[in-house]
Amino acid sequence: YAGVYKNESATIADYPVYHVTFQNNNTTFAVLSVAQGTSLGEAFPAAPVNASFRFVGWFNGDTQVTSTTVINSNITVTAKWDFLGSGTLASPYEIPSTDAWNFLADNVNNGNTYSGKYFQLTNDITVTTMVNGTFSGTFDGAGYTLTFTYTSTANNGTTPR
């Protein structure tokens, strides 16, 4: 049970207990209990690992939740991820997998142009999601192959000739 009581003589019944649910990719990663007005401290979970992305932190909406965040209600926090690399010419954002490509495509299709940012393919990958928005960054295939698989439902599932 995480949380340090402000009143040393208090019992658990004197403080409401809240639950912090940690979600990663729509899956529950951990659920921890904490007394109202305290933080998770050492009980805070270790960062999840994903070889295709850099873990940014746990977020409740746009607010980052850390081991020192004071909890005063039940909350669900979500893992936030970003590309490996920093998006510069010296350290481009890495696209090592279909998941990373889909992340890029979704962000561009939702209005992020990545103007002035650099990307580099780091593996051969096959994708089915295309970038339909405006991409203004620099994309380097680095000798790898990006294969796009297209299936048209308008042609009964066959590729147009």
Side-chain angles (χ1 to χ4, degrees):
Y1 188 134
V4 178
Y5 296 115
K6 293 179 172 61
N7 180 344
E8 296 297 327
S9 64
T11 66
I12 195 166
D14 294 331
Y15 293 90
V17 174
Y18 294 114
H19 303 286
V20 181
T21 303
F22 293 81
Q23 293 279 322
N24 180 30
N25 295 324
N26 297 318
T27 302
T28 299
F29 183 78
V31 178
L32 300 175
S33 299
V34 62
Q36 179 183 18
T38 63
S39 65
L40 292 171
E42 292 179 11
F44 201 78
V49 176
N50 183 319
S52 295
F53 297 98
R54 175 179 53 85
F55 178 70
V56 176
W58 295 105
F59 285 78
N60 182 11
D62 292 330
T63 304
Q64 187 168 12
V65 175
T66 67
S67 63
T68 61
T69 300
V70 174
I71 306 299
N72 285 307
S73 65
N74 293 322
I75 60 171
T76 298
V77 296
T78 305
K80 182 175 179 182
W81 300 93
D82 202 354
F83 295 106
L84 298 170
S86 59
T88 64
L89 179 60
S91 177
Y93 288 137
E94 297 177 19
I95 306 294
S97 66
T98 301
D99 286 341
W101 172 263
N102 289 341
F103 185 66
L104 171 62
D106 288 345
N107 285 334
V108 171
N109 294 342
N110 285 314
N112 190 340
T113 66
Y114 289 103
S115 179
K117 298 296 182 183
Y118 293 82
F119 290 82
Q120 186 173 60
L121 199 58
T122 59
N123 280 312
D124 293 333
I125 61 172
T126 300
V127 302
T128 57
T129 303
M130 282 306 298
V131 173
N132 295 316
T134 300
F135 177 78
S136 299
T138 301
F139 192 91
D140 178 4
Y144 293 100
T145 302
L146 175 68
T147 304
F148 176 67
T149 302
Y150 173 79
T151 302
S152 171
T153 56
N155 294 321
N156 297 321
T158 60
T159 303
R161 295 174 201 215

